[in-house]
Amino acid sequence: MNCKESVTFFFFLALLILPFVLLPATGAPGRVGGMGVYCVSRCRGRCSKAGFRDRCIKYCGICCRQCKCVPSGTFGNKHQCPCYRDMLSSKGKPKCP
């Protein structure tokens, strides 16, 4: 292996390893650990009957990570999680589905 091939090899090796070093397992949504698994599973259940499922899951995930809870069921029951219930959008409307 010549010098140019060695540099190329180590560059690609670094590209493969770098994401695992920089991203902690608990900080990335959907990864094992932390609130990621909890939020993903609870929000999928909460949004299972929503018309705009992707948008529902997005906002539910935001609320879940901040409040660390998601109300049970597909609608209502927001009294179970006051933080989730009281979070508002920039327009003053409920943010969490």
Side-chain angles (χ1 to χ4, degrees), residues 7-69:
V7 170
T8 305
F9 172 77
F10 285 112
F11 174 76
F12 284 114
L13 184 64
L15 285 177
L16 290 173
I17 295 172
L18 197 60
F20 296 105
V21 173
L22 296 178
L23 292 176
T26 59
R31 288 202 175 199
V32 176
M35 292 299 294
V37 173
Y38 171 81
C39 290
V40 169
S41 63
R42 292 298 300 257
C43 288
R44 282 188 184 150
R46 179 94 178 151
C47 297
S48 63
K49 295 183 180 179
F52 296 96
R53 190 170 294 135
D54 292 340
R55 188 180 303 167
C56 179
I57 290 173
K58 174 186 173 184
Y59 288 110
C60 178
I62 292 168
C63 296
C64 177
R65 284 188 295 278
Q66 288 183 349
C67 297
K68 298 181 178 27
C69 64

Side-chain angles (χ1 to χ4, degrees), residues 63 66-69 78 81-88 96:
C63 296
Q66 288 183 349
C67 297
K68 298 181 178 27
C69 64
K78 289 187 178 183
C81 184
C83 170
Y84 191 97
R85 175 194 65 213
D86 298 337
M87 195 175 296
L88 301 176
C96 307

